[in-house]
Amino acid sequence: MQQRRDGRDNHPRNGAIAVVGAGLAGLITAYTLIRDGFEDVQVLTRDAHVGGNWAQGKTYPGLYLNSVHGEYCVSALSMPPPASDCGRTSGDEVGAYLETFGSKFLKDKIQYGVEVVRIERPPSGTGWRVRVHHRKTGLTEVRHYRRVVLCTGGQSAPRFPPNMSPESAAASGFKGIVFHSADFGSKLSDLLASVPPAVSSAEPDSPTVLVVGGGKSAQDIAAYLANEGRKVTIVCPNFDAFLAASEPLPNWVRKSRLLSLFSPHIYLRTWLERFVHTTWLGKKLFDLFWTGLVSASFKAAGIPLGSPLRNTVSPFWHDRVNDEGVPRPNGFHALALSGKISVVSPAYATSFGTDGESVLLDNGVSIRASAIVLATGYHSSWSAMFDEEAQEELGLKPHLAYQSQPYRWDYLTLRDPPPLNPVAERWSSSIYRGIVPAKNIERRDFAVNGAIFSTHFGYMLEVGSHWISSYFLEDDMRLPATSEVALEETERQAAWLRHRYPQVAPTANSSHTSNIGFWGWPQVADDLLEDMGLKVMRSGGTWLTWPFRVVSVKEIAGLKEERDARRALKGTSKYAGSP
């Protein structure tokens, strides 16, 4: 271990920290750790540019954030206004923002083309042994780090449906190209070259580009290809829910805590939340709010009754919700309503036909396809970096849900839920707060940032980075005293998620959804702030007006100074001195 100048070898700021991943989570985590005086912070990314999924070469025309402007940035750097007429931030603009952040704040801290292939405990049992592969040279080396922060997100390991992978396509003799939506940016030119523009939409039997999936990526890809003149068909069991309006929603609606007020939390912090979720009149207002939101969105997008485009998940019970804003005339819904995108839903693509050009659906329909884009989700990014022994030792693996703990939340707004996902019923996440494996919580040498799913990623990631830094600094925090208590708290959180999001299985992609805040992200952020002894509900307001106050990352810009002041005042760390 590196010798600190003042001789305190065990000082928390000593020793190398590997921040794995250079998306927004990795960048803000490294930035916060460096500002807090950690001496050797190394950001490792397998890519040639920062940005993660938004890195140069991975984005494509027509890709936009599925959230409003200002929800994918941090307090140290404002996000420039979007250049598009639709008012949405494009993938290229997100990538440019992250490049700017990296070059401005982390210029000499990012190591490119360094892929982490294995993380494990060394024989000494202290710190981490990290095997990395250098993509440029092909060489592999083993490094030793005192701490590791995983910031790899949940969208880097494509999931393929059974019998629909590129390997299955090749084995069946399918003639067209097949790839996952994760590769759409790199494969786009090949796709456009191999599939000529449609001569006429009046040729129902001509091959189509088949997009499999109903999420935002599937919709964006289908819209882009249709706008490029290709014949497109989208197949899915259901679509993401969405918010839309005939004109932009005012900030006091969309950028406030209003949606979080109508999204119950594991505990209700305010009188107004208790009124909405536990009283008869509050439940009536709740029903009017969500029913009106769905109805207004369908109306703004012009989607008629009976349209398969209404086959969406619930925006309240699910985490698959996109903010469409003002619908665009060349957007997915408009193109589908005009017939430029064919919609087959509900349906699953099950296998390739024997003729080399068809795909079979579970409803017995056969579709002739010239190419296939699989927008079918992702596996956790963690499984490739840890073997079974390391996952078990660290506590990353999900655990069997405690069937003997009758956790209950008697909120009127959670009555009559949809069926419980079988995976969620059986398994629970083992990640405390979505940040630290409960089993490892006493060692303070491992954390995760980016596994709390929310609509305001920037705010959550920045607060999470401060929580991690305080945790590593051994500050006086509200933490479970033992790993056993941490696991009990984590199971209680998992039981809550089964109540709140019964159709979602957080353990299906733990690196993306170890915890879910979504519309209720302000309450989750407040939990983390409260853990650090810091002010909550920072956007202010009275007992009645707080839901309408605009939330901004600028309100958390001084978290470091607040933590420093609290540490100095109360002596809340064994190492209260400045770096």
Side-chain angles (χ1 to χ4, degrees), residues 311-514:
N311 179 28
T312 67
V313 299
S314 163
F316 173 74
W317 291 109
H318 220 286
D319 62 353
R320 289 173 47 201
V321 190
N322 304 312
D323 195 312
E324 291 290 327
V326 178
R328 292 167 284 141
N330 64 343
F332 170 74
H333 295 99
L335 291 167
L337 290 171
S338 68
K340 293 182 179 180
I341 297 174
S342 298
V343 176
V344 183
S345 180
Y348 286 91
T350 58
S351 62
F352 295 96
T354 58
D355 58 0
E357 59 179 21
S358 62
V359 173
L360 306 181
L361 309 185
D362 64 334
N363 58 10
V365 171
S366 175
I367 296 178
R368 293 183 65 203
S370 53
I372 299 173
V373 182
L374 300 168
T376 48
Y378 297 83
H379 294 289
S380 171
S381 62
W382 298 344
S383 56
M385 291 184 285
F386 300 88
D387 60 21
E388 287 290 319
E389 182 180 352
Q391 289 190 60
E392 182 63 36
E393 189 273 338
L394 179 57
L396 272 182
K397 296 182 68 174
H399 63 269
L400 287 170
Y402 295 174
Q403 302 298 336
S404 60
Q405 293 284 0
Y407 297 108
R408 293 190 60 82
W409 288 267
D410 294 322
Y411 301 166
L412 297 182
T413 53
L414 292 179
R415 293 183 178 179
D416 303 318
L420 181 62
N421 185 300
V423 177
E425 183 177 19
R426 185 179 182 193
W427 296 101
S428 296
S429 170
S430 300
I431 314 299
Y432 178 76
R433 293 287 203 219
I435 298 178
V436 178
K439 193 172 181 178
N440 198 70
I441 198 164
E442 296 174 75
R443 304 190 69 157
R444 297 191 187 235
D445 65 357
F446 185 93
V448 176
N449 202 4
I452 304 175
F453 192 54
S454 75
T455 60
H456 200 316
F457 282 99
Y459 198 110
M460 282 304 309
L461 293 174
E462 186 162 352
V463 172
S465 73
H466 285 275
W467 196 101
I468 291 168
S469 192
S470 289
Y471 172 69
F472 285 169
L473 281 172
E474 303 181 33
D475 285 346
D476 180 26
M477 299 172 65
R478 181 177 63 184
L479 283 177
T482 66
S483 58
E484 290 78 15
V485 175
L487 191 59
E488 290 176 7
E489 286 294 315
T490 302
E491 177 54 37
R492 180 172 180 266
Q493 176 70 31
W496 161 251
L497 293 180
R498 285 191 282 274
H499 277 73
R500 178 62 186 88
Y501 298 102
Q503 293 186 302
V504 181
T507 57
N509 190 346
S510 297
S511 59
H512 194 47
T513 52
S514 282

